[in-house]
Amino acid sequence: MKRLILAALASCSTPSYVGPTPAWVADTSSFTPGGPASKRSIADEYREVADKIIATARADRAAYDKLAHLTDKIGHRLAGSAALDKAIVWAAQAMTDDGLTVRTEKVMVPHWQRGREEAVMIAPTPRALKVLGLGGTVSTPEGGLAAHVVVVHDWKELDAKRHDLLGRIVLFNVPMPAWSAEHGSGYGDVVEYRWSAASRAARYGAAAVLVRSVTAHSLDTVHTGSMGYDKDAPRIPAASITVEDAELIDRLASTGAVQIRLRLESQQLPDAPSANVIGELRGRERPEEIVLIGAHLDSWDVGQGAHDDGAGVVAMMQALATLKRMNLVPRRTIRVVLFTNEENGLRGGKAYAKDHEAELANHVAALEADMGGFAPTGFGISHKDPQAAARGRDRLADIATLLRSIGATQVDLDGGGADISPMKPAGVPQISLNVDNRTYFDYHHTSADTLDKVKPQDLADMAAATAVFAYVVADLPDRIDAPLSTPF
């Protein structure tokens, strides 16, 4: 699964494949479950209440107002920062004000801190370069380092040039494929270079690495993100540069020597206390059974973290606030979890799975929203048991017909997310809220990820789709992945 591959590579924000409609994706706008044996579908049973939920959520700007506060008043929220601490307090109070039962659960998180950063081309033509240290990078030696550049375009070329890399800065100029209807985003094709470039180049004696920003479209904007170090390789500085500068260096290097001076003053501080924020609407009949809807509260330390993942956070908060305001209480408990430290450690997701290990058998579904604040298109689902995934997909396809008015009817078998993935081995169905995120990677992990890029109606529709999903799944007589039968 692409989502889980990205999580394993980077333990970072893992915006997922969405958008295209290949053969294995069902458009459920006219789905009829169960065939002749079904007397009444899930959609038949819940259509009236779903229509009311959608109308209520779409008429409310509270999700956008929440996002405005989170982004404009608090800002970006890297793990270990005072801003993330402030966001945790704010989120807990906002859900309390919405009438939910709220608590926080302590998590220790990594505390990497960005310092002064600069990169300058000193030959053949003096020129300042835009640069962002990759999350977790070590600093350069005091005062920086200067070295000639070797450009590579893939791992094979890196290996072929291994004898030329001692003391050099290696530029990985690997383009990200543009989004297409057939393949979706090309993020998963290239993010491995951001994660692994430093250790791979260090094995051949490189002094530092520069990585072309992981984006298909650039307006001279630098994209940061997590990187990792192999335990048995030297640790060398790693930074991202713009697509435009990567192309310039590549052109110049093809005709002569290029020399760059790089300075990074980042530091890795001791782990810091943080918390997952949990809000609940307690179920009326089976309160011990949980439908989890979640997103991550932290962000990178550039921009405002509006799409990644402020939009997911406020959509989850508002979905539950809408049900509470409508006095809708399903059979099971609905739990919002705002995870900490998704971007550079996944500590929040891992801590939740560990702390709630005894009750994971009672988690009937976990949904994650981490694809940006765009119009919802439907859902994805996965499961450790392929047959259970297929059963869940059939029920989810039935439920998705309730969302025809907002266009969220597509269902596929590629669901989940980084924060909920630690629960998958316990058999918890993994659901993603899919959105039309064709432009997501234009802003992803950049200073351009700001509130003005998010549309209020898209947020309201995300909240509406999530609220319908959560209410119906929490109220069904059976689990969503249970053996199929006539539900009513």
Side-chain angles (χ1 to χ4, degrees), residues 291-471:
V291 172
L292 185 153
I293 55 176
H296 67 86
L297 191 52
D298 65 308
S299 76
W300 278 107
D301 56 338
V302 291
Q304 294 182 320
H307 275 299
D308 186 19
D309 185 25
V313 164
V314 300
M316 300 302 99
M317 295 169 68
Q318 196 58 33
L320 201 52
T322 298
L323 299 179
K324 177 66 176 180
R325 183 154 61 93
M326 295 177 68
N327 295 315
L328 292 173
V329 182
R331 285 184 171 92
R332 301 174 182 85
T333 294
I334 302 174
R335 176 180 292 172
V336 170
V337 182
L338 307 181
F339 297 97
T340 190
N341 184 226
E342 187 271 352
E343 293 290 3
N344 64 334
L346 208 65
R347 298 277 187 90
K350 292 176 180 177
Y352 181 88
K354 181 179 179 182
D355 294 346
H356 295 267
E357 183 177 7
E359 64 173 353
L360 290 184
N362 282 330
H363 280 57
V364 301
L367 176 144
E368 184 167 335
D370 187 16
M371 302 182 189
F374 303 97
T377 59
F379 305 93
I381 182 170
S382 66
H383 198 289
K384 74 170 187 177
D385 176 358
Q387 292 183 336
R391 295 193 297 266
R393 178 193 174 279
D394 285 347
R395 281 201 173 94
L396 196 54
D398 192 348
I399 294 167
T401 65
L402 297 169
L403 301 173
R404 189 177 299 119
S405 64
I406 56 176
T409 59
Q410 294 182 12
V411 176
D412 66 55
L413 281 169
D414 184 25
D419 281 312
I420 62 175
S421 63
M423 293 182 271
K424 189 172 185 177
V428 180
Q430 308 276 289
I431 317 291
S432 55
L433 176 65
N434 292 348
V435 298
D436 182 8
N437 66 350
R438 286 173 288 181
T439 61
Y440 179 62
F441 291 101
D442 298 355
Y443 319 120
H444 180 247
H445 295 179
T446 75
S447 59
D449 185 7
T450 50
L451 179 66
D452 55 285
K453 310 302 191 306
V454 182
K455 298 177 181 178
Q457 191 60 63
D458 288 346
L459 275 185
D461 286 353
M462 288 175 64
T466 303
V468 170
F469 162 86
Y471 180 78

Side-chain angles (χ1 to χ4, degrees), residues 55 136 164-165 186 212 369:
D164 302 324
L165 303 185
R212 174 184 173 130

Side-chain angles (χ1 to χ4, degrees), residues 17-27 179-184 393 410-414:
Y17 169 86
V18 69
T21 311
W24 45 267
V25 175
D27 184 332
W179 186 96
S180 71
E182 182 179 1
H183 299 296
R393 178 193 174 279
Q410 294 182 12
V411 176
D412 66 55
L413 281 169
D414 184 25

Side-chain angles (χ1 to χ4, degrees), residues 127-172:
R127 174 190 174 96
L129 306 171
K130 293 183 178 179
V131 65
L132 279 176
L134 295 178
T137 183
V138 298
S139 62
T140 56
E142 187 175 356
L145 63 87
H148 285 87
V149 177
V150 175
V151 181
V152 301
H153 303 89
D154 54 33
W155 299 128
K156 184 177 180 179
E157 187 176 3
L158 176 75
D159 294 338
K161 293 182 175 180
R162 62 187 179 276
H163 299 301
D164 302 324
L165 303 185
L166 183 63
R168 306 301 195 191
I169 295 174
V170 180
L171 167 61
F172 287 79

